[in-house]
Amino acid sequence: MRMASGTQRGERRADALSKRRIVEAAIAILDAEGERALTFRALAARLATGSGAIYWHVANKDELLAAATDDVIARVMTDAGDGTGPREAVRAIALGMFDAIDVHPWVGAQLSRAPWLTAMPRIFEGIGSRLQALGVPEEAWFDSTSALVNYVLGVAGQNAANARLHGPGTDRAAFLGAIAEQWERLDAARYPFVRRLAGRLADHDDREQFLAGIDLILTGIEAALPDRARQGGHV
Amino acid sequence: MRMASGTQRGERRADALSKRRIVEAAIAILDAEGERALTFRALAARLATGSGAIYWHVANKDELLAAATDDVIARVMTDAGDGTGPREAVRAIALGMFDAIDVHPWVGAQLSRAPWLTAMPRIFEGIGSRLQALGVPEEAWFDSTSALVNYVLGVAGQNAANARLHGPGTDRAAFLGAIAEQWERLDAARYPFVRRLAGRLADHDDREQFLAGIDLILTGIEAALPDRARQGGHV
DNA sequence: ACCTGAACACCGTTCAAGT
DNA sequence: ACCTGAACACCGTTCAAGT
């Protein structure tokens, strides 16, 4: 007796294993239970199969994580980035990444593991093409894009790290408050600056601060723009 | 018969276990053989003891990695950062971190795992206090420092990731060349910008590009400076 | 107080055997 | 071609037993 019910030649059962389904299941586990919960055993259980079956579709865990990350980043790049002007587009792309990593913190960690061949070209293209539209001269493309991308990746990594510390579902405010409290208790002679900063830690808005950083870099980029391009991008 | 040779009351044998010695051994393994090589078994073998002995001095692997990272960062902060003016000091601190991560790539990965209570205050203090000296007004301290720190962490994470891809001791140039080649082969319709960038990937100088990003952010920070502070820091 | 090393629980990955 | 699931090698961590 065949397992398939209503399948025809060349078709696949709706629940047949595939890289797409595996990646989707992986994302679901990562989102709901965090990075530590993603094991081949858990994945196999969720997909009602053996752990070895997954290896038929995916080479190893690194490839699985890269594919999951690429999935999320691809969505960001198609969804965001069509603001009015090029400056708005850069901000929109950056914010899109921030928000995506807010929902999928593990993406932030994964991006620090060099998906140079999958997610990274998407990010470079998304941001760099907008800088080009902003009128940044070709000699400055690489450095400018790299500055924005690295900043975004830095924030992404920290958000991922924070999410790892307070497991999925814990509230951020209490977490930040606890750190602020520690910072206030640091040695006054060695950490005068950090102690004065501590008060702002607890009540600052991550998203606003992220955007403030983007704006600082954009201001730096625009300061080096040829006069012609300063009035909001070229035609 | 006692193991000790020439030890007196209250003294420790030169080769007695201690957190310091454990952390030093861990750093040696991480530097020489990479992150994957650091296991409690390898560490115990190197220290000629049982793996359980390490747990008497160190709570777990996370604490060990945090301590190793803190060690490296602490050295950067005491060694670097005394340039002529505050702007030079910021650049010196940033470059110090870049160079440290170049030598110890695993630090870059570890910083993306939130050592909020050890390395992070050092970094914030090192950079933030110089921005203060630069004349940045208090309302802007947090955002400005955070922008620079996140950028540095982003670069750090990428350098760590690259080092992980080409194991310790492989040459960077060939590695970048391989990626540039892949980027040139991307779909022309979807990645026009990245394809044009690919040529620059292979021959660019990481360190110079890093500094260019720092300068962009510093320019953005200085653009918002009150007039009084623009001429090179306050008195 | 500090060290030893076997044991435990768990993981990524492989592979002979199935369909 | 694709799936099953036991087995392998390895890891972080624990802990009873030693000194």
Side-chain angles (χ1 to χ4, degrees):
Chain A
M1 182 186 181
R2 315 268 313 281
M3 290 275 308
S5 58
T7 20
Q8 312 218 338
R9 203 159 50 98
E11 256 179 53
R12 284 151 174 278
R13 282 174 317 167
D15 61 336
L17 224 46
S18 67
K19 184 162 178 182
R20 165 160 302 285
R21 276 193 68 227
I22 292 170
V23 170
E24 276 168 12
I27 292 178
I29 292 176
L30 288 163
D31 287 347
E33 301 169 68
E35 302 170 56
R36 289 190 48 192
L38 181 67
T39 68
F40 277 81
R41 283 164 179 76
L43 200 50
R46 189 186 186 98
L47 292 165
T49 183
S51 64
I54 298 169
Y55 282 91
W56 184 261
H57 302 273
V58 159
N60 51 41
K61 194 170 183 180
D62 278 348
E63 186 189 308
L64 177 59
L65 282 167
T69 302
D70 193 45
D71 235 52
V72 173
I73 297 298
R75 259 196 299 275
V76 171
M77 293 307 156
T78 56
D79 290 0
D82 288 316
T84 331
R87 193 185 220 268
E88 301 316 312
V90 173
R91 297 171 105 239
I93 292 257
L95 271 184
M97 286 207 52
F98 182 91
D99 291 337
I101 286 156
D102 201 47
V103 182
H104 314 284
W106 49 272
V107 171
Q110 192 53 28
L111 286 176
S112 305
R113 296 174 130 256
W116 278 100
L117 301 179
T118 51
M120 210 57 90
R122 291 189 201 274
I123 301 174
F124 261 84
E125 187 72 31
I127 290 181
S129 61
R130 267 71 176 200
L131 290 182
Q132 187 178 355
L134 193 65
V136 174
E138 183 157 3
E139 321 87 68
W141 283 356
F142 197 10
D143 287 356
S144 306
T145 309
S146 153
L148 281 166
V149 170
N150 277 312
Y151 170 73
V152 171
L153 294 184
V155 174
Q158 289 309 301
N159 283 0
N162 293 348
R164 186 159 19 201
L165 284 187
H166 63 265
T170 318
D171 76 308
R172 246 178 50 80
F175 169 72
L176 278 182
I179 291 180
E181 214 173 301
Q182 302 274 0
W183 281 24
E184 266 156 13
R185 272 201 217 103
L186 289 169
D187 176 25
R190 290 163 62 209
Y191 296 99
F193 182 83
V194 169
R195 282 169 55 113
R196 291 184 66 179
L197 224 56
R200 313 212 168 198
L201 227 184
D203 68 347
H204 87 289
D205 182 325
D206 268 350
R207 203 168 181 272
E208 267 179 35
Q209 184 168 77
F210 170 74
L211 206 52
I214 293 287
D215 283 338
L216 284 178
I217 301 175
L218 278 175
T219 300
I221 291 173
E222 286 168 334
L225 237 46
D227 288 343
R228 211 59 47 79
R230 295 239 177 137
Q231 304 298 342
H234 65 185
V235 262
Chain B
M1 184 185 180
R2 313 266 314 281
M3 290 274 309
S5 60
T7 22
Q8 311 220 342
R9 202 161 51 98
E11 256 180 54
R12 285 150 174 276
R13 282 173 315 157
D15 61 335
L17 224 46
S18 67
K19 184 162 178 181
R20 165 160 304 283
R21 277 195 67 229
I22 291 169
V23 169
E24 274 167 14
I27 291 177
I29 292 175
L30 287 163
D31 287 348
E33 301 170 67
E35 302 171 56
R36 289 190 47 191
L38 181 66
T39 68
F40 277 80
R41 283 164 180 78
L43 200 50
R46 190 187 186 96
L47 292 165
T49 181
S51 63
I54 297 168
Y55 282 92
W56 184 262
H57 302 275
V58 159
N60 51 41
K61 193 170 183 180
D62 278 349
E63 186 189 308
L64 177 60
L65 282 168
T69 302
D70 193 45
D71 236 50
V72 172
I73 297 298
R75 259 195 299 274
V76 171
M77 294 306 156
T78 55
D79 289 0
D82 288 317
T84 332
R87 193 185 219 266
E88 302 315 312
V90 173
R91 296 171 105 240
I93 292 256
L95 270 184
M97 286 207 53
F98 182 90
D99 291 337
I101 286 156
D102 201 45
V103 183
H104 315 282
W106 50 271
V107 170
Q110 193 52 29
L111 287 175
S112 304
R113 296 174 131 257
W116 278 99
L117 302 178
T118 51
M120 213 55 94
R122 291 190 200 273
I123 301 174
F124 262 83
E125 187 72 31
I127 290 180
S129 63
R130 266 71 176 201
L131 289 182
Q132 188 179 354
L134 192 66
V136 173
E138 182 156 4
E139 321 86 69
W141 284 356
F142 198 9
D143 286 356
S144 307
T145 309
S146 153
L148 281 165
V149 171
N150 277 312
Y151 171 73
V152 171
L153 295 184
V155 175
Q158 289 310 300
N159 284 359
N162 293 347
R164 186 158 21 199
L165 284 188
H166 63 268
T170 318
D171 76 307
R172 246 179 52 78
F175 169 72
L176 278 182
I179 291 179
E181 214 174 302
Q182 301 274 1
W183 282 24
E184 267 158 12
R185 271 201 217 104
L186 289 169
D187 176 25
R190 291 163 63 208
Y191 296 99
F193 183 84
V194 169
R195 283 170 56 113
R196 292 186 64 177
L197 225 56
R200 314 212 167 199
L201 228 183
D203 67 348
H204 86 290
D205 182 327
D206 268 351
R207 202 166 182 270
E208 267 178 36
Q209 184 168 76
F210 170 74
L211 206 53
I214 293 287
D215 284 336
L216 284 178
I217 301 176
L218 278 175
T219 301
I221 291 174
E222 286 168 334
L225 237 47
D227 288 342
R228 209 59 45 79
R230 294 239 179 139
Q231 304 298 342
H234 66 185
V235 263

